[in-house]
Amino acid sequence: QVQLVESGGGLVQAGGSLSLSCTASGRTDRAYDMGWFRQAPGKEREIVASIGRTGFITYYTDFVKGRFTISKDNTKNTVYLQMSSLKPEDTAVYYCAATLRTDLVVRKFEYEYDYWGQGTQVTVSS
């Protein structure tokens, strides 16, 4: 059984930086496609960024381009999200997602992922 454990959330002032990490356990024989989603109060969960199993293919939603960087370390089954120039509207619960599916696509949607973390709160104060 695959489990995802996130860490790194917290409170930061606008303009500041924060780094999230997520480690997958349970299946270590293959690399995961992984992604970060977020859900703000009263809103639906949305994609933030995703990265393919090799780490070469990445996707960013428009509102984080140039501010967030997704990366992964397959030796540790860990994905990272480096967030900078944070804005109050980035406040949300951030979720890590992963899948072992082998189709070569850029993953942007929740249904493309099979495993989810418990979420970590990111709060950006103005």
Side-chain angles (χ1 to χ4, degrees), residues 51-120:
I51 187 166
R53 65 189 68 89
T54 64
F56 292 120
I57 299 175
T58 58
Y59 167 81
Y60 297 94
T61 194
D62 286 346
F63 51 76
V64 305
K65 282 182 181 177
R67 301 190 297 124
F68 291 10
T69 302
I70 190 170
S71 61
K72 70 198 302 275
D73 183 343
N74 284 340
T75 66
K76 299 179 180 179
N77 286 317
T78 298
V79 63
Y80 305 95
L81 185 67
Q82 178 64 42
M83 305 181 290
S84 60
S85 301
L86 283 162
K87 305 174 181 180
E89 49 264 44
D90 293 318
T91 295
V93 177
Y94 283 69
Y95 295 90
C96 172
T99 182
L100 289 169
R101 304 181 201 182
T102 57
D103 50 324
L104 296 176
V105 297
V106 175
R107 304 192 189 279
K108 307 176 186 178
F109 304 103
E110 293 184 56
Y111 67 80
E112 296 181 287
Y113 293 91
D114 301 303
Y115 310 108
W116 292 85
Q118 78 286 356
T120 185

Side-chain angles (χ1 to χ4, degrees), residues 41-55:
K43 295 187 177 181
E44 294 187 350
R45 191 155 57 182
E46 59 185 1
I47 182 72
V48 174
S50 66
I51 187 166
R53 65 189 68 89
T54 64

